[in-house]
Amino acid sequence: MNTDNYQQGLFGSVMSYITVSLATIIAITLISIFVSFWVTELADKDAQAINLSGSMRMQTYRIGLALERGEFEAATQNIEELHKTWNHSIFAQQHSLLKDPEEEHSKLTQYFAIAYFNWLSNTKPALQATANRAPTNTPNFNLLLENQVLLTDTLVNQFQKDAERKIVNLRTFQLAALFITVLVGSLIFYLLKNRVEKPLSQLTETAERISEGDFNQRVDVEGSDELSLLAETFNRMSKSIADSYNVLEERVEERTRALQQNNIALEFLITTARNILESHDGKFSFSDTISDLSDILGDHKLELCLFTEQGQRPYLQLVAHNRTDNPCEKTDCNNCRNIHQKSKPLLLEGQQRFSISMGERHFGIIDLHINGSNKLPDWQQNLIQSVANQFAVALSMGEQKDRDHRFAMLSERTVIARELHDSLAQALSYLQIQVTRLQKSKDRGSYELQQPIIDELREGLSSAYRQLRELLTTFRLKMDEGGLKTALESTVEQLRARSDMAIVLDYQLVNLPLDASEEIHLLQIVREAGQNAIHHSRGQNVLIRLEQKPDKSVELIVTDDGVGIPNTPEKLNHYGLAIMNERSRNLGGEIDITSRPTGGTQVSFVFTPSTTQTESLTSAD
């Protein structure tokens, strides 16, 4: 159906049905009203005509009665009145018809003509002659009057029949109009029922079902009107919605699959990253990760090969799920080492190689052997490359940890060498000098000088032994997972066990992170300052306070209530002070040792942590 077919024909439109039907009903109604009005108007004149014709009988009797009584003037007057009645305007139509004698007249006109001409020709002249007392040939005027009355009665009866005929015609017309109105109304009802109500009901029901999600509904409306056009348009719309819905469902399913795939890849990558970060000892399980990745990929074969920087063969080769075949043995390892120069995975026949590299450092490859001729989906390729990048991060972190560990070992060895040089080496040099003096006194036979030398040797050995124990205690200090606070608490407990002094720790660095090097240096400074306090202050109390200042620097204060510090503290414990000075310089600060006005010694140290320095540089940028 199209609009051209719809526009053809008067009755090709619902509005045409309704318009023609309403016009027909209005026309019938108007015609009925007009005809009824016209007939009633004629009926009103017929009643007047009957009344006038009936009055003419009475006037005729009056003329006869006046003549019998000899009242000739009254008779003449009555004759004139009767003549005027015969020429009344109510009978104008009859008089106009009588002017054309050749026309075929109705019975009413014929009876009017007989009665009227009888009045003019016979009755009136005779009655006038009688009233004028003139001689007349009429034998008896009473017979003329009776004849005129009979003709008048006939005319009155004809008027009555003509009026009744008009009433009957009016009733017949009204019945016909009623029949036509009922017929037209039934036709209109039928058309509205079948061409309007039924299609609208179908459209409404179909619309409700479509609103419930059933887009396969169709409306079957025959014809070429607006509703059939609307039904076909509705069907096309429903089909379009159904097609769009199907396409949308396919897209939703496709997006859902993509989201599921991305979710699988994201969960796997998050798990891998978490395992890398949680492997503090560097023992990350590449085998488990490769096996889990192989489960995600399906039947494809995965192999991991890791190389050293100069190696030509992999030092670690893992095949997913311990498969017996070893694809790597069939290829040249130099090809594996050179693929990191490509920005995309290397595509070979039946396999793909993904580089495990970071910057210019190449760690190895992930070799994928595709099962069959199907191309690996993009999301799986991206997943493998992301895993390769995470492997590169894990290996790079491992190498960085190893470098940091080596650097820390070298730094500590340097500190140990310096501390040994400042303590035991000098003590042993002093003892060597005393042994030389003792040998010379023996050679000279100066035995009286040997005892003081032996006493100095004994004191020097005791001092060296004490220094050795302190150095061993320093070297045995360790930082466990509890952090600086736990290590300081352990150090305080050791100091308490070696002295009767009351040692209090006030730790207030809960909101500031420190790196491992900063924690170790602070721990050593606190230990040396605490040992100096318990060995040389001869006080009763020691306070160790570590807090964060408003400028985000860290301040360490160790105070005691002892005898105070001498003018030359280096002679008292020169190697301990050297250790503290060396540690403070590594942290970018300087130790300040002063005597308190109230008695005792205060060791203070201020430095800025590396995290705060980084934040300051970022803010400045």
Side-chain angles (χ1 to χ4, degrees):
M1 182 191 300
N2 53 35
T3 56
D4 295 336
N5 294 332
Y6 156 69
Q7 293 175 353
Q8 293 176 357
L10 177 63
F11 294 98
S13 170
V14 174
M15 293 305 300
S16 298
Y17 296 143
I18 298 175
T19 302
V20 173
S21 301
L22 292 177
T24 303
I25 293 176
I26 293 173
I28 293 174
T29 303
L30 292 176
I31 293 172
S32 300
I33 294 174
F34 176 76
V35 172
S36 298
F37 178 78
W38 179 67
V39 171
T40 54
E41 185 69 20
L42 292 178
D44 290 340
K45 294 181 180 181
D46 288 343
Q48 188 178 1
I50 293 173
N51 185 31
L52 286 175
S53 61
S55 68
M56 287 189 299
R57 287 183 302 181
M58 182 59 66
Q59 291 175 2
T60 303
Y61 284 129
R62 287 178 181 177
I63 294 171
L65 183 60
L67 291 175
E68 288 180 357
R69 291 178 180 178
E71 299 175 356
F72 297 107
E73 293 181 1
T76 300
Q77 186 178 359
N78 289 332
I79 291 170
E80 292 297 329
E81 290 180 357
L82 179 58
H83 184 71
K84 290 180 180 180
T85 302
W86 277 105
N87 291 282
H88 194 275
S89 61
I90 196 68
F91 303 127
Q93 183 180 5
Q94 306 302 327
H95 286 291
S96 63
L97 294 175
L98 293 177
K99 294 179 181 180
D100 188 5
E102 296 181 358
E103 184 179 355
E104 183 178 357
H105 302 298
S106 63
K107 288 184 179 182
L108 176 62
T109 304
Q110 292 175 4
Y111 285 131
F112 181 82
I114 294 172
Y116 179 67
F117 287 127
N118 183 68
W119 164 258
L120 290 178
S121 301
N122 299 321
T123 307
K124 180 181 178 182
L127 291 176
Q128 285 180 343
T130 303
N132 294 328
R133 297 181 183 90
T136 178
N137 295 325
T138 303
N140 191 353
F141 68 86
N142 289 325
L143 293 175
L144 292 174
L145 293 175
E146 289 179 2
N147 184 36
Q148 186 67 39
V149 169
L150 290 175
L151 292 176
T152 302
D153 287 339
T154 303
L155 178 61
V156 172
N157 290 331
Q158 192 59 40
F159 270 118
Q160 182 178 354
K161 290 180 180 179
D162 190 65
E164 291 176 352
R165 180 180 56 80
K166 291 179 180 178
I167 298 300
V168 171
N169 291 337
L170 177 60
R171 291 176 179 174
T172 303
F173 177 78
Q174 289 178 340
L175 289 175
L178 177 62
F179 176 75
I180 293 174
T181 303
V182 172
L183 182 62
V184 173
S186 300
L187 178 62
I188 294 173
F189 179 78
Y190 173 78
L191 292 175
L192 293 177
K193 182 74 174 177
N194 290 274
R195 304 301 301 171
V196 178
E197 181 182 359
K198 184 177 179 181
L200 287 177
S201 299
Q202 293 180 1
L203 289 171
T204 302
E205 183 179 357
T206 304
E208 291 178 352
R209 292 182 179 178
I210 290 178
S211 66
E212 295 174 356
D214 186 3
F215 300 110
N216 295 321
Q217 293 294 319
R218 296 293 181 270
V219 183
D220 186 13
V221 178
E222 298 179 355
S224 59
D225 53 18
E226 295 95 332
L227 292 178
S228 59
L229 177 63
L230 178 61
E232 183 170 347
T233 304
F234 197 88
N235 291 335
R236 289 198 299 268
M237 180 192 69
S238 177
K239 184 177 182 301
S240 177
I241 293 176
D243 295 341
S244 300
Y245 184 78
N246 293 332
V247 172
L248 182 61
E249 282 189 337
E250 292 177 359
R251 290 182 179 178
V252 169
E253 291 178 358
E254 182 179 354
R255 294 292 178 85
T256 302
R257 288 193 298 269
L259 288 176
Q260 291 176 349
Q261 295 169 357
N262 293 335
N263 186 45
I264 292 173
L266 183 60
E267 288 183 355
F268 182 78
L269 293 175
I270 291 175
T271 301
T272 303
R274 182 185 297 113
N275 293 335
I276 292 174
L277 295 176
E278 291 178 353
S279 57
H280 302 290
D281 54 356
K283 295 180 180 180
F284 173 70
S285 177
F286 292 97
S287 176
D288 294 341
T289 305
I290 287 294
S291 297
D292 295 339
L293 180 59
S294 178
D295 293 336
I296 295 176
L297 299 179
D299 296 333
H300 306 297
K301 300 177 182 178
L302 275 180
E303 182 181 14
L304 172 65
C305 297
L306 300 180
F307 299 88
T308 61
E309 292 190 64
Q310 294 81 23
Q312 299 297 323
R313 303 295 299 176
Y315 68 87
L316 178 63
Q317 182 179 359
L318 297 174
V319 180
H321 300 299
N322 296 322
R323 291 192 171 109
T324 56
D325 56 340
N326 185 1
C328 186
E329 292 181 354
K330 304 175 184 179
T331 60
D332 186 3
C333 290
N334 290 325
N335 295 331
C336 298
R337 293 182 53 81
N338 295 330
I339 69 167
H340 72 283
Q341 299 175 356
K342 300 180 179 294
S343 59
K344 296 182 179 180
L346 180 63
L347 300 177
L348 301 175
E349 183 178 358
Q351 70 180 114
Q352 285 183 264
R353 291 176 179 173
F354 299 84
S355 174
I356 304 175
S357 59
M358 178 172 288
E360 296 299 326
R361 178 69 171 93
H362 179 58
F363 297 98
I365 64 163
I366 296 179
D367 197 0
L368 170 68
H369 292 259
I370 302 175
N371 186 13
S373 60
N374 295 331
K375 182 181 178 182
L376 197 67
D378 293 339
W379 74 273
Q380 292 186 352
Q381 295 187 35
N382 295 333
L383 175 61
I384 299 175
Q385 187 60 59
S386 298
V387 172
N389 295 337
Q390 288 193 342
F391 282 177
V393 172
L395 294 169
S396 178
M397 290 175 58
E399 290 185 351
Q400 184 63 37
K401 287 181 180 179
D402 184 61
R403 286 193 294 269
D404 293 343
H405 180 66
R406 292 178 182 179
F407 179 76
M409 289 178 60
L410 292 176
S411 298
E412 287 299 315
R413 288 179 179 179
T414 301
V415 173
I416 291 172
R418 184 179 295 110
E419 292 177 355
L420 288 175
H421 176 270
D422 294 341
S423 58
L424 288 180
Q426 294 182 8
L428 292 176
S429 298
Y430 174 74
L431 292 177
Q432 186 177 8
I433 293 173
Q434 299 302 323
V435 169
T436 303
R437 289 179 57 196
L438 182 60
Q439 182 65 41
K440 289 182 178 181
S441 65
K442 177 183 177 184
D443 294 340
R444 294 175 182 177
S446 303
Y447 297 106
E448 69 279 1
L449 300 177
Q450 292 182 353
Q451 187 59 43
I453 296 175
I454 293 173
D455 294 336
E456 290 182 4
L457 284 173
R458 183 181 296 107
E459 183 180 354
L461 286 174
S462 299
S463 176
Y465 181 69
R466 183 176 69 255
Q467 294 174 15
L468 177 62
R469 286 188 303 171
E470 292 178 354
L471 287 175
L472 291 176
T473 303
T474 300
F475 299 153
R476 288 172 181 173
L477 287 176
K478 64 178 180 177
M479 192 73 64
D480 55 15
E481 294 182 358
L484 177 61
K485 183 178 181 181
T486 303
L488 287 175
E489 292 174 348
S490 176
T491 300
V492 169
E493 290 298 327
Q494 294 177 4
L495 294 176
R496 289 171 181 169
R498 296 164 56 187
S499 172
D500 295 333
M501 299 179 67
I503 304 175
V504 178
L505 174 64
D506 183 12
Y507 186 86
Q508 299 181 11
L509 288 183
V510 294
N511 297 319
L512 182 64
L514 301 176
D515 60 26
S517 176
E518 292 170 344
E519 291 180 346
I520 291 175
H521 289 312
L522 279 177
L523 178 61
Q524 294 286 12
I525 293 173
V526 170
R527 175 195 167 278
E528 293 297 337
Q531 285 184 345
N532 287 338
I534 63 175
H535 289 158
H536 307 292
S537 67
R538 289 180 287 179
Q540 301 295 324
N541 299 285
V542 177
L543 174 62
I544 303 172
R545 184 171 70 250
L546 195 61
E547 62 182 356
Q548 178 183 353
K549 299 180 70 175
D551 59 355
K552 295 186 179 180
S553 61
V554 175
E555 181 180 32
L556 171 64
I557 296 178
V558 180
T559 61
D560 61 69
D561 57 354
V563 297
I565 189 170
N567 294 329
T568 56
E570 292 81 2
K571 296 181 179 180
L572 181 65
N573 187 13
H574 61 280
Y575 55 88
L577 294 178
I579 292 175
M580 289 192 292
N581 288 325
E582 178 68 21
R583 299 286 184 180
S584 65
R585 286 191 294 270
N586 289 333
L587 294 178
E590 186 175 353
I591 290 287
D592 183 19
I593 304 175
T594 58
S595 296
R596 299 173 61 197
T598 58
T601 304
Q602 175 174 305
V603 178
S604 61
F605 171 63
V606 179
F607 78 101
T608 302
S610 59
T611 54
T612 305
Q613 294 175 0
T614 303
E615 181 180 353
S616 301
L617 291 174
T618 304
S619 302
D621 294 340

